[in-house]
Amino acid sequence: MTALAAPPTAPEKGDPPQSQPPGRRPRRGGAGRTMKAGWLSYVILGLALLVSAFPFYWTIVTASRSNADMARIPPSLLPGPNLMKNFEQVLEEADIGKALLNSLIVSGSITLGTVLCCTLAGFAFAKLRFKGRNALLTLTIGTMMIPPQLGVIPLFMLIAELQWVNQLQAVILPGLVSAFGVFFMRQYLVQSLPDELIEAARVDGASTARIFWSIVIPIARPGMAVLGMLTFMTAWNDFFWPIIALSSQEPTVQVALRQLGGGYVNDQSVIMAGTLLGTLPVLLVFGLLGRQIVGGIMQGAVKG
């Protein structure tokens, strides 16, 4: 009979540490380890920040000076004293207050409708099983390849038949859902919403509507924030369809801006002052939704 090997004994205090087997690296604890960025990372981030923020800073500089100041060579790189004066001229040349209100109504309605409808459709395409699901998804994605300019004439004929010309619903209703939003939310829910969670809710007797409101929306909140920000910016900056469907009596911000700085020589300072007023709501929306976006990214990083 062969002798049994003695079990390994714990090393006594003061004994040298046991050597690792050849070819095996010692384990390092990664839970409390943090990565430190080098100076090159900070330089790259600083340059990216300057390049991204300079157009907005230049808008402030141009909006606070006169047209003659900006025509000098070299132009001044510091803000001037004419910001409030240019704002007053903007209010005189265009009904910018009404335009801001109309843009807020249009962009807010389109954003809420798009986020809700696209999340519903994305959940259906991602987790529900029904006949023709793949065909409908393919058809939805296929509409993204059609240029929107092709539908302008039929759409205008439709709103003219409904007597919606020069009314805000003519701009709101065509943008309440988008194929990109459906595809975006579908892909997000496929990755973020586990099937086991839906099956557990089914076992507990939850209906599809209860699952959507109680489970899908909390999980999809970061994706909804990203889609909401992109939709709001797209609707806020839209110029092509509002200038067709609306008149100068019911303008949005982009339509009202074309009325600024008219004359033999365009007053760039007044135009930039109006542009600055039209940019502030977009920055506010980004500030409100930025925490949701960053929180979703950090949550995904921790889970991964």
Side-chain angles (χ1 to χ4, degrees), residues 59-216:
T59 302
I60 298 176
V61 172
T62 308
S64 61
R65 292 190 170 273
S66 63
N67 217 25
D69 292 338
M70 301 314 301
R72 296 176 183 173
I73 300 177
S76 178
L77 296 178
L78 297 177
N82 297 333
L83 183 60
M84 299 307 299
K85 178 181 177 181
N86 291 333
F87 281 163
E88 294 175 358
Q89 190 170 350
V90 168
L91 297 177
E92 292 177 0
E93 295 184 7
D95 195 356
I96 199 70
K98 188 175 184 179
L100 286 172
L101 179 60
N102 289 341
S103 289
L104 285 175
I105 294 174
V106 170
S107 302
S109 302
I110 291 177
T111 300
L112 291 177
T114 299
V115 170
L116 180 59
C117 295
C118 292
T119 305
L120 278 168
F123 168 61
F125 283 126
K127 297 300 178 180
L128 300 183
R129 301 292 182 266
F130 54 92
K131 292 182 179 180
R133 184 185 65 168
N134 295 331
L136 287 176
L137 181 61
T138 303
L139 181 63
T140 302
I141 298 174
T143 59
M144 298 172 60
M145 297 183 290
I146 301 175
Q149 291 80 5
L150 294 180
V152 169
I153 295 178
L155 185 58
F156 185 81
M157 294 173 61
L158 177 61
I159 67 170
E161 186 70 21
L162 296 174
Q163 298 181 357
W164 285 355
V165 178
N166 198 26
Q167 297 183 22
L168 295 182
Q169 60 262 31
V171 183
I172 294 174
L173 291 181
L176 284 181
V177 67
S178 66
F180 168 77
V182 173
F183 178 72
F184 176 82
M185 293 307 303
R186 187 258 179 191
Q187 294 299 110
Y188 185 86
L189 291 175
V190 165
Q191 299 294 330
S192 302
L193 183 60
D195 295 334
E196 293 79 6
L197 196 59
I198 299 178
E199 294 173 0
R202 295 287 190 192
V203 171
D204 292 339
S207 62
T208 303
R210 180 63 182 274
I211 292 174
F212 178 78
W213 290 109
S214 301
I215 297 177
V216 176

Side-chain angles (χ1 to χ4, degrees), residues 198-245:
I198 299 178
E199 294 173 0
R202 295 287 190 192
V203 171
D204 292 339
S207 62
T208 303
R210 180 63 182 274
I211 292 174
F212 178 78
W213 290 109
S214 301
I215 297 177
V216 176
I217 287 184
I219 292 177
R221 190 176 300 165
M224 295 169 66
V226 174
L227 179 61
M229 185 188 67
L230 295 177
T231 304
F232 186 89
M233 292 180 61
T234 302
W236 186 271
N237 294 325
D238 189 16
F239 175 78
F240 182 68
W241 177 242
I243 200 174
I244 296 175

